[in-house]
Amino acid sequence: MADKTKTQPAAPFTIEVPETLLKKRKLSEASKEAQVKRREEREKKRQSGKEVVFKRAEKYVQEYGQKEKAIVEARRAARRAGDLYVPGQARLYFIIRIKGVNHIPPKPRKILQLFRLLQINNGVFMRVTKATAMMLKYIEPYIAYGEPNLKTVRELIYKRGFGKIDKQRIPLSDNHVVESKLGKLDILSIEDLIHEIYT
């Protein structure tokens, strides 16, 4: 008797992938491509931003050098003429609190609050106007102040500089922090910030 059951060759084994899984794969591939593209654009923007920051820093160094030379020339000219050179009135003060809260009358206490000098060793840069000069007279026993030079401004901002971003006190550690908050004012780096404060 002949065998009625014939063995047929086995069909290739295929698994159908669910359509939702295929869509998910396609979306993840598209998002990866978009992410790579965004990363490349961000890197290009950062590189171009670095070039702008370096050019500005070089310009600032030249500007500071020219100012120093002008002051030296003015002193020499005054000495040759037999006069004295008197530098201009200070436009910027660095104010630091040196006394605590005990036995401070209400008016100086309020002025210290206005200047953001809330505790000992707090310091602020303040533009000199007639009003601020009058307020400084009131709080003189509780503070020390003077005109900072460029080196002092730079060191203070790099070592102890903080900014208030979204009601949080954040250290000025890199240019991204400065650019995110002050970019709309064309301040892109810490050097730009130093230049704005000093001038």
Side-chain angles (χ1 to χ4, degrees), residues 57-100:
E58 288 174 358
K59 188 178 80 174
Y60 296 150
V61 167
Q62 288 176 349
E63 185 180 324
Y64 300 143
Q66 289 171 354
K67 282 184 181 178
E68 288 290 325
K69 285 180 183 177
I71 290 171
V72 169
E73 285 298 317
R75 282 189 178 143
R76 287 178 182 165
R79 191 178 304 137
R80 274 189 296 241
D83 294 333
L84 285 175
Y85 172 74
V86 180
Q89 184 69 26
R91 296 185 304 176
L92 174 77
Y93 280 148
F94 181 71
I95 307 167
I96 189 165
R97 183 165 176 174
I98 57 173
K99 286 211 176 158

Coordinates of all heavy atoms in Angstrom, one line a residue, residues 57-100:
A57 N 36.3 89.6 23.1 CA 37.3 89.7 24.2 C 38.6 90.4 23.8 O 39.2 91.2 24.5 CB 37.6 88.3 24.7
E58 N 39.0 90.1 22.5 CA 40.2 90.8 22.0 C 39.9 92.3 21.9 O 40.8 93.1 22.2 CB 40.6 90.2 20.6 CG 41.2 88.8 20.7 CD 41.4 88.2 19.3 OE1 41.0 88.9 18.3 OE2 41.9 87.1 19.2
K59 N 38.7 92.6 21.4 CA 38.4 94.1 21.3 C 38.4 94.7 22.6 O 38.9 95.9 22.8 CB 37.0 94.2 20.7 CG 36.6 95.6 20.3 CD 35.2 95.6 19.7 CE 34.2 95.6 20.8 NZ 32.8 95.7 20.3
Y60 N 37.9 94.0 23.7 CA 37.9 94.6 25.0 C 39.3 94.8 25.5 O 39.6 95.9 26.2 CB 37.1 93.7 26.0 CG 35.7 93.6 25.7 CD1 35.0 92.4 26.0 CD2 35.0 94.6 25.1 CE1 33.6 92.3 25.8 CE2 33.6 94.5 24.8 CZ 33.0 93.3 25.1 OH 31.6 93.1 24.8
V61 N 40.2 93.9 25.3 CA 41.6 94.0 25.7 C 42.2 95.2 25.1 O 43.0 96.0 25.7 CB 42.4 92.7 25.4 CG1 43.9 92.9 25.6 CG2 41.9 91.6 26.3
Q62 N 42.0 95.4 23.8 CA 42.6 96.6 23.1 C 42.0 97.9 23.7 O 42.7 98.8 23.9 CB 42.2 96.5 21.6 CG 43.0 95.5 20.8 CD 42.6 95.4 19.4 OE1 41.6 96.0 19.0 NE2 43.4 94.6 18.6
E63 N 40.7 97.9 24.0 CA 40.1 99.1 24.5 C 40.7 99.4 25.9 O 41.0 100.5 26.2 CB 38.6 98.8 24.7 CG 37.8 100.0 25.1 CD 36.3 99.6 25.2 OE1 35.8 98.9 24.4 OE2 35.6 100.1 26.2
Y64 N 40.8 98.4 26.7 CA 41.4 98.6 28.1 C 42.9 99.1 28.0 O 43.3 100.0 28.7 CB 41.4 97.3 28.9 CG 40.0 96.7 29.2 CD1 39.8 95.4 29.2 CD2 38.9 97.6 29.4 CE1 38.6 94.8 29.4 CE2 37.7 97.0 29.6 CZ 37.5 95.7 29.6 OH 36.3 95.1 29.8
G65 N 43.6 98.5 27.0 CA 45.0 99.0 26.8 C 45.1 100.5 26.4 O 45.9 101.2 26.8
Q66 N 44.1 100.8 25.5 CA 44.1 102.2 25.0 C 43.8 103.2 26.2 O 44.3 104.3 26.3 CB 43.1 102.4 23.9 CG 43.5 101.8 22.6 CD 42.4 101.7 21.5 OE1 41.3 102.1 21.8 NE2 42.8 101.3 20.3
K67 N 42.8 102.8 27.0 CA 42.5 103.6 28.2 C 43.7 103.8 29.1 O 44.0 104.9 29.6 CB 41.3 103.0 29.0 CG 40.0 103.2 28.3 CD 38.9 102.7 29.2 CE 37.5 102.9 28.6 NZ 36.4 102.4 29.4
E68 N 44.4 102.7 29.4 CA 45.6 102.8 30.2 C 46.6 103.7 29.6 O 47.2 104.5 30.3 CB 46.2 101.4 30.4 CG 45.4 100.5 31.3 CD 45.4 100.9 32.8 OE1 46.4 101.4 33.2 OE2 44.4 100.8 33.4
K69 N 46.9 103.6 28.3 CA 47.9 104.4 27.7 C 47.4 105.9 27.7 O 48.3 106.8 27.9 CB 48.0 104.0 26.2 CG 48.8 102.8 26.0 CD 49.0 102.4 24.6 CE 49.7 101.1 24.4 NZ 49.8 100.7 23.0
A70 N 46.1 106.2 27.5 CA 45.6 107.5 27.6 C 45.9 108.1 29.0 O 46.3 109.3 29.1 CB 44.2 107.6 27.2
I71 N 45.7 107.4 30.0 CA 45.9 107.8 31.4 C 47.3 108.1 31.6 O 47.7 109.2 32.2 CB 45.3 106.8 32.4 CG1 43.8 106.8 32.4 CG2 45.8 107.2 33.8 CD1 43.1 105.7 33.2
V72 N 48.2 107.2 31.2 CA 49.7 107.4 31.4 C 50.1 108.7 30.6 O 50.9 109.5 31.2 CB 50.4 106.2 30.9 CG1 51.9 106.5 30.8 CG2 50.2 105.0 31.8
E73 N 49.6 108.9 29.4 CA 50.0 110.1 28.6 C 49.5 111.3 29.3 O 50.2 112.4 29.3 CB 49.4 110.0 27.2 CG 50.1 109.0 26.3 CD 51.6 109.4 26.1 OE1 51.8 110.6 25.9 OE2 52.4 108.5 26.2
A74 N 48.3 111.3 29.9 CA 47.7 112.5 30.6 C 48.6 112.8 31.8 O 48.9 114.0 32.1 CB 46.3 112.3 30.9
R75 N 49.0 111.8 32.5 CA 49.9 112.0 33.7 C 51.2 112.6 33.3 O 51.7 113.6 33.9 CB 50.1 110.7 34.4 CG 49.0 110.3 35.3 CD 49.3 109.1 36.2 NE 48.2 108.8 37.0 CZ 47.9 107.6 37.3 NH1 48.6 106.6 36.9 NH2 46.9 107.3 38.1
R76 N 51.8 112.1 32.2 CA 53.1 112.6 31.7 C 53.0 114.1 31.3 O 53.9 114.9 31.5 CB 53.6 111.7 30.6 CG 54.1 110.4 31.1 CD 54.6 109.5 30.0 NE 55.1 108.2 30.5 CZ 55.3 107.2 29.7 NH1 55.0 107.3 28.4 NH2 55.7 106.1 30.2
A77 N 51.9 114.3 30.5 CA 51.7 115.7 30.0 C 51.5 116.7 31.2 O 52.0 117.8 31.2 CB 50.5 115.7 29.1
A78 N 50.8 116.2 32.2 CA 50.6 117.1 33.4 C 51.9 117.4 34.1 O 52.2 118.5 34.5 CB 49.5 116.5 34.3
R79 N 52.7 116.3 34.2 CA 54.0 116.5 34.9 C 54.9 117.4 34.1 O 55.6 118.2 34.7 CB 54.6 115.1 35.1 CG 55.8 115.2 36.0 CD 56.5 113.8 36.2 NE 55.6 112.8 36.7 CZ 55.5 111.6 36.3 NH1 56.4 111.2 35.3 NH2 54.7 110.7 36.7
R80 N 54.9 117.3 32.8 CA 55.7 118.2 31.9 C 55.3 119.6 32.1 O 56.1 120.5 32.1 CB 55.6 117.7 30.5 CG 56.6 116.7 30.1 CD 56.6 116.5 28.6 NE 55.3 116.0 28.2 CZ 55.1 114.8 27.6 NH1 56.0 114.1 27.3 NH2 53.9 114.5 27.4
A81 N 54.0 119.8 32.2 CA 53.4 121.2 32.3 C 53.5 121.7 33.8 O 53.2 122.9 34.0 CB 52.0 121.2 31.9
G82 N 54.0 120.8 34.7 CA 54.1 121.3 36.1 C 52.8 121.2 36.8 O 52.6 121.8 37.9
D83 N 51.8 120.5 36.3 CA 50.5 120.4 36.9 C 50.3 119.0 37.6 O 51.2 118.2 37.5 CB 49.4 120.6 35.9 CG 49.3 122.0 35.3 OD1 49.8 122.9 36.0 OD2 48.9 122.2 34.2
L84 N 49.2 118.9 38.2 CA 48.8 117.6 38.7 C 47.7 116.9 37.9 O 46.8 117.6 37.5 CB 48.3 117.7 40.2 CG 49.4 118.0 41.2 CD1 48.7 118.2 42.6 CD2 50.4 116.8 41.4
Y85 N 47.8 115.7 37.7 CA 46.8 114.9 37.0 C 45.7 114.5 38.0 O 46.1 113.8 39.0 CB 47.3 113.7 36.2 CG 46.3 112.9 35.6 CD1 45.5 113.3 34.5 CD2 45.9 111.6 36.2 CE1 44.5 112.5 34.0 CE2 45.0 110.8 35.6 CZ 44.3 111.3 34.5 OH 43.3 110.5 34.0
V86 N 44.5 114.8 37.8 CA 43.4 114.4 38.7 C 42.5 113.5 37.9 O 41.9 113.9 36.9 CB 42.6 115.6 39.3 CG1 41.5 115.1 40.2 CG2 43.5 116.6 40.0
P87 N 42.4 112.2 38.3 CA 41.5 111.3 37.5 C 40.1 111.7 37.7 O 39.7 112.4 38.7 CB 41.8 109.9 38.2 CG 42.4 110.2 39.5 CD 43.1 111.6 39.4
G88 N 39.2 111.2 36.8 CA 37.8 111.6 36.8 C 37.1 110.9 38.0 O 37.7 110.1 38.7
Q89 N 35.9 111.4 38.2 CA 35.1 110.9 39.3 C 34.8 109.4 39.1 O 34.5 109.0 38.0 CB 33.8 111.7 39.4 CG 32.9 111.4 40.6 CD 33.5 111.8 41.9 OE1 34.3 112.7 42.0 NE2 33.1 111.0 43.0
A90 N 34.8 108.6 40.2 CA 34.5 107.2 40.0 C 33.1 107.0 39.6 O 32.1 107.7 40.0 CB 34.7 106.5 41.4
R91 N 32.9 106.1 38.6 CA 31.5 105.8 38.1 C 31.0 104.5 38.7 O 29.8 104.2 38.5 CB 31.5 105.7 36.6 CG 31.9 107.0 36.0 CD 31.8 107.0 34.5 NE 32.6 105.9 33.9 CZ 32.6 105.6 32.6 NH1 31.9 106.2 31.8 NH2 33.4 104.6 32.2
L92 N 31.8 103.7 39.3 CA 31.4 102.4 39.8 C 32.1 102.2 41.2 O 33.3 102.4 41.4 CB 31.9 101.3 38.9 CG 31.7 99.9 39.3 CD1 30.2 99.5 39.1 CD2 32.5 98.9 38.4
Y93 N 31.3 101.7 42.1 CA 31.8 101.4 43.5 C 31.6 99.9 43.7 O 30.5 99.3 43.3 CB 31.2 102.1 44.6 CG 31.7 103.5 44.8 CD1 30.8 104.5 45.2 CD2 33.0 103.9 44.6 CE1 31.3 105.8 45.4 CE2 33.4 105.2 44.8 CZ 32.6 106.1 45.2 OH 33.0 107.4 45.4
F94 N 32.5 99.3 44.4 CA 32.2 97.9 45.0 C 32.0 98.2 46.5 O 32.8 98.7 47.2 CB 33.3 97.0 44.7 CG 33.0 95.6 45.3 CD1 32.1 94.8 44.7 CD2 33.7 95.1 46.4 CE1 31.8 93.5 45.2 CE2 33.4 93.9 46.9 CZ 32.5 93.1 46.3
I95 N 30.8 97.7 46.9 CA 30.4 98.0 48.3 C 30.3 96.6 49.0 O 29.7 95.7 48.5 CB 29.0 98.7 48.4 CG1 29.1 99.9 47.5 CG2 28.7 99.0 49.8 CD1 27.7 100.5 47.3
I96 N 31.0 96.5 50.2 CA 30.9 95.3 51.0 C 30.5 95.6 52.4 O 30.9 96.6 53.0 CB 32.3 94.6 50.9 CG1 32.2 93.2 51.5 CG2 33.4 95.4 51.6 CD1 33.4 92.3 51.2
R97 N 29.7 94.8 52.9 CA 29.2 95.0 54.3 C 30.2 94.4 55.3 O 30.6 93.3 55.2 CB 27.8 94.3 54.5 CG 27.2 94.6 55.8 CD 25.8 94.3 55.9 NE 25.2 94.4 57.2 CZ 23.9 94.3 57.5 NH1 23.1 94.1 56.5 NH2 23.5 94.5 58.7
I98 N 30.5 95.2 56.3 CA 31.5 94.8 57.3 C 30.9 94.7 58.7 O 31.6 94.2 59.6 CB 32.7 95.7 57.3 CG1 32.3 97.2 57.6 CG2 33.5 95.6 56.0 CD1 33.4 98.1 57.8
K99 N 29.7 95.1 59.0 CA 29.1 95.0 60.3 C 27.8 94.3 60.3 O 27.1 94.3 59.3 CB 28.9 96.4 60.9 CG 30.2 97.1 61.3 CD 30.0 98.0 62.5 CE 31.3 98.6 62.9 NZ 31.2 99.8 63.6
G100 N 27.5 93.7 61.4 CA 26.3 92.9 61.5 C 25.0 93.7 61.7 O 25.0 94.9 61.5

